[in-house]
């Protein structure tokens, strides 16, 4: 049963976490290019946001399958499993609280032709908390970089399994 769970875990990780990481990483550049007038990248940015959102939902199965795999292998209390789950929770938290909302905020800055949308003057509360596009995209790029780095560390932990008797 552990091989079955492990296969599903790796398959979902590759097919869901990979696209989330790539789409989230490409998003800020797409919006930046559109805002700078290089070309209308608004449809591309919207697609990247949708990919990030949908594959993030599918990617929620990765830690669940990971827990099932660890339980089947009897390694749920191993430090590499606990560290991996902790880093996965941090990555998920970044995605839910920073990346997806940041992408939505960036998309709100674009109008249909990919240029900067006019600021909402009738809603002062919204403009008080809104960031400038350059600052938002810089922060979003940094956050997606941290998100990607966390997944890379989890991958290394999954392969190397430090301290495990079944590790390489």
């Amino acid at each position: 049963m552990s091989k079955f769970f492990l296969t599903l875990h790796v398959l979902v990780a590759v097919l869901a976490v990979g696209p989330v990481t790539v789409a989230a990483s490409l998003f800020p550049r797409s919006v930046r290019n559109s805002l700078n007038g290089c070309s209308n990248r608004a449809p591309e940015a919207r697609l990247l946001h949708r990919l990030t959102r949908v594959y993030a939902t599918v990617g929620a199965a990765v830690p669940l399958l990971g827990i099932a795999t660890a339980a089947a292998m009897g390694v749920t209390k191993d430090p590499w499993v606990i560290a991996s789950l902790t880093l996965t929770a941090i990555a998920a938290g970044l995605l839910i609280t920073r990346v997806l909302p940041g992408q939505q905020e960036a998309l709100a800055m674009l109008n249909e032709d990919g240029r900067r949308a006019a600021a909402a003057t009738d809603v002062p509360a919204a403009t008080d908390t809104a960031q400038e596009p350059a600052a938002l995209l810089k922060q979003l790029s940094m956050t997606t970089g941290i998100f990607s780095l966390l997944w890379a560390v989890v991958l290394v932990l999954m392969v190397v399994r430090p301290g495990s008797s079944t590790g390489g």
Side-chain angles (χ1 to χ4, degrees), residues 58-157:
V58 175
V62 173
L64 299 176
L65 290 166
I67 293 168
T69 303
M73 294 173 65
V75 295
T76 54
K77 294 183 181 183
D78 282 12
W80 64 272
V81 174
I82 295 168
S84 295
L85 286 172
T86 302
L87 294 174
T88 298
I90 293 168
L94 277 177
L95 184 64
I96 293 166
T97 65
R98 299 284 185 227
V99 174
L100 290 171
Q103 286 183 350
Q104 289 174 328
E105 188 176 344
L107 286 175
M109 294 178 184
L110 297 175
N111 59 21
E112 286 303 313
D113 68 357
R115 304 291 181 241
R116 186 169 180 181
T121 56
D122 57 339
V123 187
T127 57
D128 290 344
T129 60
Q131 294 185 37
E132 284 299 313
L136 172 66
L137 294 173
K138 184 177 182 180
Q139 181 180 12
L140 194 53
S141 293
M142 180 190 67
T143 305
T144 57
I146 293 168
F147 173 77
S148 300
L149 180 62
L150 288 169
W151 280 117
V153 173
V154 169
L155 175 66
V156 169
L157 287 171

